[in-house]
Amino acid sequence: MVKLVLIVAAIVAFWLWLRAKPRVVGGEAEARAILGVGKNADVGEIRAAHRRLMQAVHPDRGGSADLARRINSARDVLIGRLRH
């Protein structure tokens, strides 16, 4: 019974891993180009650039959902690299 539970848990974990959304932005250079920030940008500058762009392209304001997704992904890539 324990083996069955472990097997099912492993299958569910693998399935969730496969379903994980792929990164929209390829790397740090692409993320910086999308947000328009330089190599020495700190977290505050990245957040300010993200906010400025999202105000212009947010889907609730008639913008593109795909572009908003790319901007969010770029922010996540850059802020994640600065924190680690």
Side-chain angles (χ1 to χ4, degrees):
M1 182 65 170
V2 173
K3 287 182 182 181
L4 179 62
V5 170
L6 290 174
I7 291 171
V8 170
I11 291 172
V12 169
F14 182 67
W15 179 73
L16 290 173
W17 177 75
L18 286 176
R19 279 191 33 167
K21 293 194 303 188
R23 273 212 161 134
V24 177
V25 176
E28 185 177 350
E30 184 179 356
R32 289 189 187 285
I34 289 170
L35 293 180
V37 297
K39 285 189 173 189
N40 297 327
D42 63 356
V43 174
E45 292 176 58
I46 293 168
R47 286 190 175 143
H50 171 265
R51 182 176 178 85
R52 177 178 34 82
L53 289 170
M54 285 303 290
Q55 286 176 346
V57 301
H58 196 278
D60 289 346
R61 295 185 178 184
S64 166
D66 185 51
L67 187 53
R69 189 175 314 121
R70 290 177 55 84
I71 292 169
N72 284 332
S73 179
R75 178 207 52 203
D76 294 343
V77 165
L78 293 178
I79 289 179
R81 294 219 175 149
L82 289 176
R83 288 188 177 169
H84 296 296

